[in-house]
Amino acid sequence: MVSLCALVVFSADVSHIPPGEKNFLLLQWQTTLMDRFYSRKSKVKAKTKSTKESKVERADSLRNAPLRDYCEWKSVSCVHGKVVRVDRTDRHDEVMDIHLLPPTVGDIHLTSCSLDYALHTRALPRALKYCYVNGNRLHGSVGLRTLPEHLVRLNLSRNRLVGPVDLTELPRKLRTLDLWDNRIRQYVVFFGQLPPNLIYVEFHLIGGGNRIGELRGTSTENAKKLGKLFPGISLKHIHIE
């Protein structure tokens, strides 16, 4: 739904809109996304007439309220009025769905925040370069073939993610990938030509959540270097074809 909204906004013809109004519309859209990102967690309870009315009243009040300036928040960094970074640690009262963040966000630091939803890498901000969401409750499969193309560092460790893991189309600028202490059970993990500046892909570090059998793929790297790129995986379990 969010992606569809973004598509509608950017596909509309805004050439006839004065610059001031255009900037306001973009700010309004960014604020709407951030409002949803920082929405409070609520306990599930039966819907009654009073709760429905309160939701309507709250929606009306939000609609009539002035736009919140998230660039003034300590946990948010902006450049020229555009949100580029969000940073939270050990917060458990907000949803903080990273799929709702504006596409301008390039830096996400949300560690130990009880993020509890399925991860969809295709819906991550396209400008994303650094993403640290370790120590949460993210679940579902790890879609490594649909990561943002500019991604440099990705830390998904200490979550509840499962396979299949596919390393055949990693972003070319990727340097580090942390997947340790998840719930990945996979006999064979395939890889292709790895990013030129890749430092490591970590399946095992602390905790024994993952179970990886062997790695198979095509690469110009020698076996010794591959052993360094995949720490914790024995060389006898890394095969170049």
Side-chain angles (χ1 to χ4, degrees):
M1 181 63 70
V2 174
S3 299
L4 180 59
C5 292
L7 182 61
V8 171
V9 170
F10 282 104
S11 63
D13 181 10
V14 295
S15 59
H16 65 286
I17 301 178
E21 292 185 22
K22 187 186 302 183
N23 291 337
F24 176 77
L25 289 175
L26 292 174
L27 175 61
Q28 188 177 44
W29 176 59
Q30 175 177 270
T31 302
T32 298
L33 293 178
M34 295 299 290
D35 283 344
R36 295 185 64 186
F37 173 74
Y38 279 120
S39 61
R40 295 282 178 174
K41 292 181 179 178
S42 59
K43 295 181 179 179
V44 178
K45 55 184 178 181
K47 293 183 178 180
T48 63
K49 184 177 180 181
S50 59
T51 57
K52 291 180 180 178
E53 290 176 350
S54 64
K55 286 184 177 181
V56 172
E57 292 173 356
R58 184 172 60 181
D60 289 338
S61 64
L62 289 174
R63 190 179 300 110
N64 297 324
L67 290 179
R68 185 181 287 107
D69 188 358
Y70 283 98
C71 293
E72 296 181 351
W73 288 35
K74 291 182 179 180
S75 60
V76 177
S77 298
C78 295
V79 174
H80 303 305
K82 297 179 180 179
V83 176
V84 297
R85 175 187 171 105
V86 292
D87 193 334
R88 280 277 212 246
T89 301
D90 199 26
R91 288 294 299 267
H92 308 280
D93 57 341
E94 296 164 331
V95 176
M96 290 188 284
D97 187 339
I98 57 178
H99 309 104
L100 299 175
L101 287 169
T104 54
V105 172
D107 206 334
I108 298 174
H109 288 252
L110 300 172
T111 58
S112 302
C113 290
S114 299
L115 306 184
D116 191 355
Y117 44 80
L119 177 66
H120 300 288
T121 57
R122 191 184 298 275
L124 294 176
R126 291 296 93 185
L128 191 60
K129 292 183 178 180
Y130 305 96
C131 184
Y132 298 86
V133 288
N134 44 303
N136 289 291
R137 301 171 186 167
L138 297 176
H139 52 270
S141 59
V142 188
L144 299 178
R145 300 182 65 179
T146 53
L147 292 169
E149 64 175 329
H150 303 295
L151 194 63
V152 176
R153 296 184 185 274
L154 176 61
N155 192 333
L156 297 172
S157 63
R158 296 188 295 123
N159 278 286
R160 301 174 181 178
L161 298 165
V162 298
V165 171
D166 186 338
L167 304 177
T168 59
E169 295 185 28
L170 295 174
R172 299 309 295 166
K173 296 180 180 180
L174 190 68
R175 293 179 64 84
T176 61
L177 174 58
D178 288 271
L179 295 170
W180 52 274
D181 199 9
N182 275 283
R183 299 177 179 179
I184 301 169
R185 306 285 190 273
Q186 195 164 334
Y187 182 70
V188 179
V189 174
F190 291 99
F191 63 91
Q193 290 298 322
L194 298 170
N197 296 315
L198 184 67
I199 299 173
Y200 67 78
V201 176
E202 188 76 73
F203 286 105
H204 306 291
L205 184 60
I206 301 173
N210 297 332
R211 296 288 185 273
I212 305 298
E214 60 183 32
L215 302 177
R216 287 186 175 274
T218 57
S219 176
T220 56
E221 306 291 352
N222 58 49
K224 186 176 181 180
K225 184 172 182 180
L226 287 174
K228 293 181 179 179
L229 293 177
F230 299 107
I233 305 292
S234 173
L235 284 177
K236 66 181 181 180
H237 296 307
I238 301 177
H239 306 281
I240 303 175
E241 300 176 346

